[in-house]
Amino acid sequence: MSKKCCCGNDKTVQFKELAPTMEKYANTPGSLITILQKAQEIYGYLSIDVINYISDCTGIKPAKIYGVATFYAQFRLQPIGKNLIMLCQGTACHVNGSEQIEESVCEYLDIKDGETTSDGIFTLNNVACLGCCSLAPVMMVRSSEGDETYGNLTKEKVTKILDEIRARE
Ligand code: FES
């Protein structure tokens, strides 16, 4: 398979934040996961355009990249909402009812883990321990304002928090 460097083409300008990663890894076998992780970190998700750009740089066919991206749960192919809800499912949170909290959030927002609300305000992700187990059950909400942590959640409390966030959007 022929591999070409993408430096200097139009897409390098469009994807300039990712270009240094491509320079470093495009020709290194076995680096696709690393490249996809970096692309998602920068753009929030893996768009068709970014997959095509990675394909141009690495010589790996877009269908293969897409296959890898869909195989691993860590990769997103759709944009995330303005607020990323990271709902802890670690041991302490689990013992303290995180499953019921998840049920409430899913029911209230009408989405499942990994999905985004139709208004684009929320994306829900179940995550491992957030490191503040004494507040279990816990969720962290990431937005352009930064990360905010909410602890000792109850069904009532979590829906109130979601209402407040939606009201300020
Ligand atoms: S288990 Fe949830 S914060 Fe540690």
Side-chain angles (χ1 to χ4, degrees), residues 1 25 28 42 44 51 59 62 79 87 89 105 125-126 148:
M1 186 183 294
Y25 294 110
T28 308
I42 294 169
I51 286 176
L87 190 59
Q89 297 293 350
V105 173
N125 264 180
N126 283 327
E148 199 155 345

mmCIF file of all heavy atoms in Angstrom, residues 1 25 28 42 44 51 59 62 79 87 89 105 125-126 148:
data_model
loop_
_atom_site.group_PDB
_atom_site.id
_atom_site.type_symbol
_atom_site.label_atom_id
_atom_site.label_comp_id
_atom_site.label_asym_id
_atom_site.label_seq_id
_atom_site.Cartn_x
_atom_site.Cartn_y
_atom_site.Cartn_z
ATOM 1 N N MET A 1 0.841 -1.191 0.000
ATOM 2 C CA MET A 1 0.000 0.000 0.000
ATOM 3 C C MET A 1 0.887 1.256 0.000
ATOM 4 O O MET A 1 1.795 1.357 0.807
ATOM 5 C CB MET A 1 -0.869 -0.014 1.261
ATOM 6 C CG MET A 1 -1.883 1.099 1.306
ATOM 7 S SD MET A 1 -2.813 1.057 2.851
ATOM 8 C CE MET A 1 -3.706 -0.481 2.662
ATOM 9 N N TYR A 25 2.756 10.199 12.909
ATOM 10 C CA TYR A 25 2.306 8.803 12.900
ATOM 11 C C TYR A 25 1.823 8.249 11.564
ATOM 12 O O TYR A 25 1.602 7.042 11.448
ATOM 13 C CB TYR A 25 1.152 8.624 13.908
ATOM 14 C CG TYR A 25 1.551 8.820 15.342
ATOM 15 C CD1 TYR A 25 1.125 9.929 16.063
ATOM 16 C CD2 TYR A 25 2.363 7.881 15.999
ATOM 17 C CE1 TYR A 25 1.485 10.113 17.389
ATOM 18 C CE2 TYR A 25 2.723 8.056 17.322
ATOM 19 C CZ TYR A 25 2.280 9.177 18.011
ATOM 20 O OH TYR A 25 2.634 9.350 19.322
ATOM 21 N N THR A 28 3.647 5.323 10.368
ATOM 22 C CA THR A 28 4.037 4.326 11.368
ATOM 23 C C THR A 28 2.959 3.249 11.465
ATOM 24 O O THR A 28 1.828 3.553 11.868
ATOM 25 C CB THR A 28 4.206 4.986 12.768
ATOM 26 O OG1 THR A 28 5.072 6.103 12.619
ATOM 27 C CG2 THR A 28 4.773 4.015 13.774
ATOM 28 N N ILE A 42 -9.373 16.366 19.550
ATOM 29 C CA ILE A 42 -9.366 17.712 18.958
ATOM 30 C C ILE A 42 -10.760 18.132 18.496
ATOM 31 O O ILE A 42 -11.224 19.235 18.805
ATOM 32 C CB ILE A 42 -8.387 17.767 17.759
ATOM 33 C CG1 ILE A 42 -6.947 17.563 18.233
ATOM 34 C CG2 ILE A 42 -8.517 19.103 17.022
ATOM 35 C CD1 ILE A 42 -5.944 17.331 17.112
ATOM 36 N N GLY A 44 -13.772 16.350 18.866
ATOM 37 C CA GLY A 44 -14.926 15.895 19.634
ATOM 38 C C GLY A 44 -15.560 14.639 19.072
ATOM 39 O O GLY A 44 -16.250 13.919 19.774
ATOM 40 N N ILE A 51 -12.084 11.424 8.676
ATOM 41 C CA ILE A 51 -11.722 10.045 8.292
ATOM 42 C C ILE A 51 -11.070 10.059 6.904
ATOM 43 O O ILE A 51 -10.046 9.400 6.675
ATOM 44 C CB ILE A 51 -12.965 9.125 8.334
ATOM 45 C CG1 ILE A 51 -13.333 8.838 9.797
ATOM 46 C CG2 ILE A 51 -12.709 7.813 7.582
ATOM 47 C CD1 ILE A 51 -14.587 8.031 10.010
ATOM 48 N N GLY A 59 -2.932 6.316 3.752
ATOM 49 C CA GLY A 59 -3.110 5.327 2.692
ATOM 50 C C GLY A 59 -4.047 4.200 3.108
ATOM 51 O O GLY A 59 -4.279 3.262 2.346
ATOM 52 N N PRO A 62 -10.782 4.515 3.654
ATOM 53 C CA PRO A 62 -11.775 5.077 4.588
ATOM 54 C C PRO A 62 -12.664 4.002 5.216
ATOM 55 O O PRO A 62 -12.973 4.069 6.403
ATOM 56 C CB PRO A 62 -12.601 6.031 3.715
ATOM 57 C CG PRO A 62 -11.706 6.394 2.587
ATOM 58 C CD PRO A 62 -10.821 5.193 2.343
ATOM 59 N N PRO A 79 -21.363 14.338 16.351
ATOM 60 C CA PRO A 79 -20.924 15.405 17.255
ATOM 61 C C PRO A 79 -21.540 15.249 18.634
ATOM 62 O O PRO A 79 -22.652 14.741 18.754
ATOM 63 C CB PRO A 79 -21.437 16.687 16.582
ATOM 64 C CG PRO A 79 -22.277 16.278 15.450
ATOM 65 C CD PRO A 79 -22.132 14.814 15.219
ATOM 66 N N LEU A 87 -21.477 10.199 33.509
ATOM 67 C CA LEU A 87 -22.139 9.604 34.663
ATOM 68 C C LEU A 87 -21.303 8.441 35.171
ATOM 69 O O LEU A 87 -21.073 7.469 34.450
ATOM 70 C CB LEU A 87 -23.525 9.120 34.223
ATOM 71 C CG LEU A 87 -24.490 8.685 35.304
ATOM 72 C CD1 LEU A 87 -24.763 9.805 36.300
ATOM 73 C CD2 LEU A 87 -25.793 8.231 34.663
ATOM 74 N N GLN A 89 -20.027 5.171 36.741
ATOM 75 C CA GLN A 89 -20.545 3.826 37.007
ATOM 76 C C GLN A 89 -19.484 3.009 37.740
ATOM 77 O O GLN A 89 -19.479 1.781 37.677
ATOM 78 C CB GLN A 89 -20.936 3.134 35.686
ATOM 79 C CG GLN A 89 -22.058 3.822 34.929
ATOM 80 C CD GLN A 89 -23.401 3.772 35.641
ATOM 81 O OE1 GLN A 89 -23.567 3.064 36.628
ATOM 82 N NE2 GLN A 89 -24.357 4.553 35.169
ATOM 83 N N VAL A 105 -31.907 9.771 34.038
ATOM 84 C CA VAL A 105 -31.346 10.661 33.009
ATOM 85 C C VAL A 105 -31.827 10.215 31.625
ATOM 86 O O VAL A 105 -32.270 11.035 30.812
ATOM 87 C CB VAL A 105 -29.795 10.669 33.070
ATOM 88 C CG1 VAL A 105 -29.203 11.441 31.903
ATOM 89 C CG2 VAL A 105 -29.307 11.263 34.391
ATOM 90 N N ASN A 125 -22.641 9.946 28.606
ATOM 91 C CA ASN A 125 -21.612 8.888 28.570
ATOM 92 C C ASN A 125 -21.456 8.296 29.966
ATOM 93 O O ASN A 125 -21.204 9.035 30.920
ATOM 94 C CB ASN A 125 -20.257 9.469 28.156
ATOM 95 C CG ASN A 125 -19.985 9.318 26.676
ATOM 96 O OD1 ASN A 125 -18.946 9.740 26.197
ATOM 97 N ND2 ASN A 125 -20.894 8.728 25.938
ATOM 98 N N ASN A 126 -21.589 6.990 30.077
ATOM 99 C CA ASN A 126 -21.228 6.335 31.328
ATOM 100 C C ASN A 126 -19.716 6.234 31.380
ATOM 101 O O ASN A 126 -19.077 5.944 30.359
ATOM 102 C CB ASN A 126 -21.822 4.925 31.370
ATOM 103 C CG ASN A 126 -23.298 4.943 31.688
ATOM 104 O OD1 ASN A 126 -23.765 5.799 32.437
ATOM 105 N ND2 ASN A 126 -24.036 4.016 31.116
ATOM 106 N N GLU A 148 -18.023 20.613 35.585
ATOM 107 C CA GLU A 148 -18.676 20.817 36.870
ATOM 108 C C GLU A 148 -19.072 19.454 37.434
ATOM 109 O O GLU A 148 -19.610 18.619 36.709
ATOM 110 C CB GLU A 148 -19.915 21.686 36.683
ATOM 111 C CG GLU A 148 -20.354 22.296 37.981
ATOM 112 C CD GLU A 148 -21.141 23.594 37.757
ATOM 113 O OE1 GLU A 148 -21.092 24.146 36.645
ATOM 114 O OE2 GLU A 148 -21.791 24.009 38.709
#
